[in-house]
Amino acid sequence: MAQVEFHTNVADPQDYAVRLVRKASRQGARLVVVCEDPVAFSQALWQASAVDFVAHASTEAEPATVAASAVLLSSSAAVIGRSTDKDVLVNTSPNWPAEHAAYARVIEIVAQSPESVSAGRIRWKQYLNDGVVPDKLG
């Protein structure tokens, strides 16, 4: 069963997720990032540092590229089942990832906006209904 953490009250979810992905990838983690705009997230990863780079790919890339990539970006939680060998799922989208149990760890990032908070509460309840008690950070 996945360990689920909610990182709440996040001012800039994309920036927060980029920093989290950079740190986790330096530690050797394999990640799937579910975000509303994978192209923008990819650009943010490219621009995060002038001296290092986090190799990443879209879940829509060629199967060999997907298999070789330690960081995958997706706009839909529905496709993350293709990547169940990953260690960490980072969810910045408002959608609940039903495939969460395939991951060792799930990090839910919840922004400060009322819409994000409301969607986060719904996801929290869905985890509880699925038998998972999340941790709250922030």
Side-chain angles (χ1 to χ4, degrees):
M1 184 171 294
Q3 171 192 353
V4 178
E5 298 172 1
F6 273 72
H7 295 220
T8 60
N9 200 29
V10 176
D12 185 338
Q14 180 170 283
D15 180 60
Y16 187 90
V18 164
R19 288 184 286 119
L20 192 146
V21 166
R22 291 182 70 230
K23 179 180 179 182
S25 66
R26 280 193 307 267
Q27 295 173 347
R30 293 176 56 86
L31 301 104
V32 171
V33 180
V34 178
C35 51
E36 292 189 48
D37 188 350
V39 173
F41 197 90
S42 176
Q43 289 298 324
L45 282 173
W46 276 101
Q47 296 169 355
S49 172
V51 294
D52 65 348
F53 172 69
V54 175
H56 59 280
S58 167
T59 53
E60 302 304 316
E62 295 295 322
T65 302
V66 170
S69 297
V71 177
L72 294 176
L73 308 180
S74 175
S75 62
S76 171
V79 300
I80 62 176
R82 291 175 42 190
S83 309
T84 57
D85 64 329
K86 305 300 180 197
D87 296 329
V88 181
L89 170 66
V90 178
N91 187 20
T92 67
S93 84
N95 303 315
W96 180 64
E99 295 89 352
H100 65 87
Y103 296 86
R105 185 175 177 197
V106 176
I107 299 173
E108 291 278 354
I109 298 176
V110 180
Q112 297 172 337
S113 71
E115 299 82 14
S116 184
V117 171
S118 178
R121 287 181 179 145
I122 291 169
R123 291 193 313 275
W124 181 282
K125 289 176 186 176
Q126 288 172 309
Y127 282 111
L128 291 175
N129 288 339
D130 212 25
V132 177
V133 179
D135 293 320
K136 181 180 174 197
L137 305 172

